[in-house]
Amino acid sequence: MSFSPLIQDLIDAFRVLPGVGPKTAQRMAFHLLERDRHGASTLATALTVAAEKVGHCSCCRTLSENELCSICADNSRDESQICVLESPVDMLAIEQTGGFNGGYFVLMGHLSPIDGIGPDDLGLDLLFKRLESGAVKEMILATNPTVEGEATAHFIAEQIKHLDIRVTRIAHGVPVGGELEYVDGGTLAHAMAGRRSMN
Amino acid sequence: MSFSPLIQDLIDAFRVLPGVGPKTAQRMAFHLLERDRHGASTLATALTVAAEKVGHCSCCRTLSENELCSICADNSRDESQICVLESPVDMLAIEQTGGFNGGYFVLMGHLSPIDGIGPDDLGLDLLFKRLESGAVKEMILATNPTVEGEATAHFIAEQIKHLDIRVTRIAHGVPVGGELEYVDGGTLAHAMAGRRSMN
Ligand SMILES: [Zn+2]
Ligand SMILES: [Zn+2]
């Protein structure tokens, strides 16, 4: 015996979510079908709309349904500083420290030759164009303190050493091997304050 | 700063899933938007179709998109035995033991006065009609070995004591306070074999 096809399809579909194994997927499917059909429809709509409408900010590459994200569209931000991050959630983490008022650039990943992720996949052309425009005086490399994050930071620093821009790396106040997303605000604010020059 | 509205809507929508808190919801939303838009669409479609099409088997009440579930539609099953369960996942658990060939009745819950769940919500009218038809010789009450599951089993046994039907309860081989869904097949087969009469 197995579940009827539509139920099995739903269980299988939940497996696309990170950290969701067969038992969890089954529990999710039955929870919604037995107790929350309205929640199931709301989730379906949110998924459809987001998958269709959410693209990337044309300036910083973060996920956004608008041409410019709310930060790039904000004229009060300091154009002379740009903070380079791996992911949109890291942007939220830095914003929540309240200690940074510059702009951002989101790589949406890190260099990973083994996965075939090179400079083009990280939008580095767009970053370099922004740096070459002359407005940026300091670039803070805030990629994750992992092997890949460090390698990505060093690669970017190397590529722009001909430009008169101060390049800094957030301090190792953040635990080595960890991910920015899970660091508390105090540690992250400390790491930003203790950033050191890379050139 | 917060995420753009459609991203926040998606994060909020994931909170309908059991065990999913704000951080997990955020990770799910970004995982799909950054890396698996196809998975997002597949999940949206599965949710929509299942929420619209999956109803209840008209005979045993389990979740099914057909008028009769695959077991109720199977003529080779033994009509003289009926196993009463709280949930469709318990049905799968019993089927996987391979030791039962009778029919089922799924309560889709248990009696819970505090939550306003009474006999009508468990489809007991439908169960009693099936028992009164005369084909059933034994009803195995396999509700969970929890306080509510026991109370529900005793209530059902009490209601049908005027009928000439053997009423049994699965043995307490299953851990008290546990849920059938998480019991291994061997223990469950043992519990079925060791069922005792309740009338
Ligand atoms: Zn932006
Ligand atoms: Zn059925």
Side-chain angles (χ1 to χ4, degrees):
Chain A
M1 179 243 186
S2 54
F3 297 117
S4 64
L6 297 183
I7 297 175
Q8 193 58 53
D9 286 350
L10 181 57
I11 293 169
D12 294 343
F14 274 120
R15 301 293 303 281
V16 304
L17 298 174
V20 173
K23 269 280 174 189
T24 304
Q26 188 176 299
R27 193 159 60 242
M28 287 173 167
F30 281 98
H31 172 83
L32 293 183
L33 290 173
E34 290 175 28
R35 284 188 283 274
D36 195 2
R37 302 249 172 163
H38 177 74
S41 301
T42 304
L43 179 55
T45 305
L47 282 164
T48 304
V49 174
E52 269 175 24
K53 302 267 171 79
V54 174
H56 295 272
C57 171
S58 64
C59 177
C60 77
R61 289 188 97 223
T62 197
L63 291 169
S64 173
E65 63 257 35
N66 301 312
E67 167 74 15
L68 285 181
C69 73
S70 60
I71 289 176
C72 291
D74 180 353
N75 292 323
S76 74
R77 305 286 303 205
D78 179 1
E79 267 192 288
S80 73
Q81 285 187 316
I82 187 168
C83 178
V84 178
L85 299 163
E86 292 188 26
S87 149
V89 288
D90 298 335
M91 194 161 150
L92 184 70
I94 299 276
E95 283 296 292
Q96 283 171 345
T97 70
F100 181 70
N101 192 45
Y104 290 98
F105 190 84
V106 182
L107 302 169
M108 302 296 293
H110 48 238
L111 292 176
S112 179
I114 207 165
D115 300 312
I117 300 172
D120 289 353
D121 303 297
L122 305 182
L124 295 187
D125 282 2
L126 189 62
L127 172 62
F128 297 153
K129 218 172 276 176
R130 233 171 114 185
L131 296 175
E132 281 157 7
S133 74
V136 180
K137 302 298 172 215
E138 178 184 3
M139 171 172 67
I140 302 165
L141 293 167
T143 50
N144 286 324
T146 55
V147 173
E148 298 85 356
E150 292 291 348
T152 304
H154 282 280
F155 178 86
I156 295 171
E158 190 65 24
Q159 299 295 304
I160 63 131
K161 66 183 175 189
H162 62 287
L163 296 175
D164 183 26
I165 291 174
R166 189 176 167 223
V167 178
T168 56
R169 178 88 176 105
I170 48 165
H172 272 300
V174 292
V176 173
E179 300 194 53
L180 282 195
E181 182 184 351
Y182 300 103
V183 174
D184 68 284
T187 305
L188 208 46
H190 190 82
M192 288 290 282
R195 65 188 182 269
R196 60 191 164 70
S197 181
M198 281 182 74
N199 60 351
Chain B
M1 180 244 186
S2 53
F3 297 116
S4 63
L6 296 183
I7 297 175
Q8 193 59 52
D9 286 352
L10 181 57
I11 293 169
D12 295 343
F14 274 120
R15 301 293 302 280
V16 303
L17 299 174
V20 174
K23 269 280 176 189
T24 304
Q26 189 177 299
R27 193 161 56 242
M28 288 173 166
F30 280 97
H31 173 82
L32 293 183
L33 291 173
E34 290 175 27
R35 285 186 283 274
D36 196 0
R37 301 250 171 161
H38 177 73
S41 300
T42 305
L43 178 54
T45 305
L47 282 163
T48 303
V49 174
E52 268 174 25
K53 302 267 170 75
V54 175
H56 295 273
C57 171
S58 65
C59 176
C60 76
R61 287 190 98 224
T62 196
L63 291 169
S64 173
E65 63 258 32
N66 301 312
E67 168 75 14
L68 286 180
C69 73
S70 60
I71 290 176
C72 292
D74 180 354
N75 292 324
S76 75
R77 306 286 302 205
D78 179 1
E79 266 193 289
S80 73
Q81 285 188 315
I82 186 168
C83 178
V84 178
L85 300 164
E86 293 188 27
S87 150
V89 289
D90 298 336
M91 192 161 152
L92 184 70
I94 299 275
E95 283 297 293
Q96 283 170 347
T97 70
F100 181 71
N101 192 43
Y104 290 97
F105 190 83
V106 182
L107 302 169
M108 302 295 294
H110 48 238
L111 292 176
S112 179
I114 207 167
D115 300 313
I117 298 172
D120 288 354
D121 302 299
L122 304 183
L124 295 187
D125 282 4
L126 188 62
L127 172 63
F128 297 152
K129 216 171 278 174
R130 233 171 114 184
L131 296 175
E132 282 157 8
S133 74
V136 179
K137 302 298 171 216
E138 178 184 4
M139 171 171 66
I140 303 165
L141 292 167
T143 50
N144 287 323
T146 56
V147 173
E148 297 85 357
E150 292 291 348
T152 305
H154 282 280
F155 179 86
I156 294 170
E158 192 64 25
Q159 298 295 303
I160 64 131
K161 65 183 178 193
H162 61 287
L163 296 175
D164 182 27
I165 290 174
R166 188 175 169 226
V167 178
T168 56
R169 176 91 176 102
I170 48 165
H172 273 301
V174 292
V176 174
E179 299 193 54
L180 283 195
E181 181 184 352
Y182 300 104
V183 175
D184 68 285
T187 305
L188 208 48
H190 190 84
M192 288 291 283
R195 65 189 182 269
R196 59 193 166 70
S197 180
M198 282 183 72
N199 59 352

